[in-house]
Amino acid sequence: MNRNQTSALDADLDLLDAYSKAVVGAVERVAPSVVWIHVERPSRGRGSPAPRGTEVASGSGFVFTHDGFILTNSHVVHGAARIDVVLGDGFRAVADLIGDDPDTDLAVIRVQAPNLVPAQFGDSQRVRVGQLAVAVGNPYGLESTVTAGVVSALGRSLRAQTGRLIDNVIQTDAALNPGNSGGPLVNTQGNVIGVNSAVILPAQGICFAIAANTAQWVATQLIQTGRVRRSVLGISGQAVPLGRRLARHHRLDQASAVRVTSVVPGGPAARAGIQEGDVLVSFGDRPVRGIDDLQRYLGGEAVGAEVEISAVRRAELVRLTVVPAEAD
């Protein structure tokens, strides 16, 4: 082997060593915070509302405060009759469900346990495509399993089981399997940048995590009130295309909108004068291109706030002021 070949081999080994050090360092920092979650919930026969025994499931989570709050996925603990948690040091405890938000697939549980090591959150706004991402969890009950990859894409949208769209989802190729749900996705500093949530089963290397900034906001809401506040208009609707001539006539920079198919009597939309058949094109100063846009705008901050909605009614553009109500 000549000198150039030796230098190239040494450089490759140095690069591999740096990668290994980055992954090992990240895991050592976050692993003490990662927990295994075992859930028991009533099982029901097909088509029967009555419980028929107990079904068990498992997932992952991570401690994020010194006093025992743990973040995980909603689909891991939703409907649980009992939640058991095994901490990184092997300590086992029964957890209480603090709050559950299926619309973002996030939940907070809590344990009373000694020597808790909370994970640190990173700023998911600073995550970049291509950066190293490490996932720690318990796939198929195999505790403290580590996979590594890169952030494949940012700003993805993921459909929750409720049908609502989750925004700003991180896509990664760090391998996830059943049981990884709720575990942390971390950067090389061991800071949590996402909560592992979903896998496209037929695909390879396409996995998703709820962004850390979203997770922190939801966790705060769940700890404070046990739920996430959202608002409603009191309508049903469907996305419809806007004719090019109509959009040009009203100077609308969009190809679709939402047609109101029904209005709840006495609800916010009815009080504002919104009618069945109206085509909603804007909410405040933001365009309404579909139902997902409306759901995105109807957060807790919109409860009780006056908002101007623009709608096309029989080819005319009307502007109406609506005050969204809090969702039940």
Side-chain angles (χ1 to χ4, degrees):
M1 183 178 294
N2 60 39
R3 181 176 299 176
N4 290 338
Q5 290 175 319
T6 301
S7 298
L9 179 60
D10 288 342
D12 287 343
L13 291 174
D14 287 341
L15 286 173
L16 180 61
D17 190 54
Y19 176 85
S20 299
K21 286 180 179 178
V23 174
V24 170
V27 172
E28 288 180 344
R29 280 185 284 273
V30 77
S33 310
V34 180
V35 304
W36 177 69
I37 300 173
H38 180 271
V39 173
E40 297 179 6
R41 57 170 62 92
S43 64
R44 289 171 169 80
R46 184 173 296 177
S48 172
R52 294 191 176 183
T54 301
E55 66 179 29
V56 297
S58 65
S60 304
F62 59 94
V63 179
F64 66 98
T65 70
H66 286 284
D67 51 352
F69 287 107
I70 294 170
L71 195 58
T72 186
N73 283 148
S74 169
H75 75 260
V76 172
V77 297
H78 186 75
R82 179 185 173 97
I83 305 171
D84 289 289
V85 169
V86 179
L87 303 178
D89 61 4
F91 185 88
R92 181 180 290 266
V94 177
D96 296 316
L97 179 63
I98 301 301
D100 175 19
D101 186 47
D103 285 338
T104 55
D105 196 23
L106 293 169
V108 173
I109 60 177
R110 191 179 190 183
V111 295
Q112 301 294 329
N115 306 317
L116 292 172
V117 181
Q120 302 298 311
F121 283 104
D123 183 358
S124 54
Q125 287 286 91
R126 301 181 65 183
V127 173
R128 295 293 179 266
V129 173
Q131 78 175 67
L132 181 66
V134 180
V136 184
N138 306 284
Y140 298 107
L142 300 172
E143 297 180 28
S144 302
T145 296
V146 176
T147 58
V150 298
V151 172
S152 306
L154 298 169
R156 296 297 197 210
S157 294
L158 184 66
R159 187 75 60 184
Q161 292 182 355
T162 60
R164 197 179 185 102
L165 209 61
I166 308 170
D167 289 321
N168 298 320
V169 173
I170 298 170
Q171 180 183 332
T172 176
D173 68 349
L176 302 179
N177 289 286
N180 272 115
S181 294
L185 184 72
V186 304
N187 59 19
T188 52
Q189 286 74 48
N191 294 330
V192 178
I193 57 174
V195 180
N196 297 320
S197 186
V199 180
I200 298 179
L201 291 177
Q204 295 184 12
I206 302 179
C207 306
F208 299 101
I210 311 302
N213 291 8
T214 299
Q216 289 184 83
W217 180 82
V218 170
T220 299
Q221 298 293 309
L222 295 177
I223 291 170
Q224 291 177 346
T225 66
R227 59 192 294 266
V228 175
R229 293 182 77 211
R230 292 187 176 88
S231 54
V232 293
L233 292 178
I235 64 168
S236 295
Q238 64 182 41
V240 294
L242 275 179
R244 187 176 300 176
R245 291 178 59 186
L246 186 65
R248 186 165 56 243
H249 176 72
H250 293 297
R251 298 180 181 178
L252 301 173
D253 186 22
Q254 60 199 83
S256 59
V258 170
R259 174 181 288 131
V260 177
T261 56
S262 66
V263 180
V264 176
R271 292 193 294 269
I274 294 175
Q275 301 175 6
E276 185 176 327
D278 285 352
V279 178
L280 308 184
V281 295
S282 70
F283 184 94
D285 58 358
R286 295 170 289 185
V288 175
R289 298 183 175 91
I291 296 297
D292 292 331
D293 282 347
L294 268 185
Q295 290 182 340
R296 189 178 299 116
Y297 304 152
L298 290 168
E301 72 282 353
V303 176
E306 289 190 351
V307 181
E308 184 178 83
I309 285 184
S310 296
V312 176
R313 179 182 296 168
R314 293 184 289 276
E316 297 298 321
L317 191 66
V318 297
R319 290 181 172 83
L320 304 161
T321 299
V322 65
V323 180
E326 185 166 0
D328 295 332

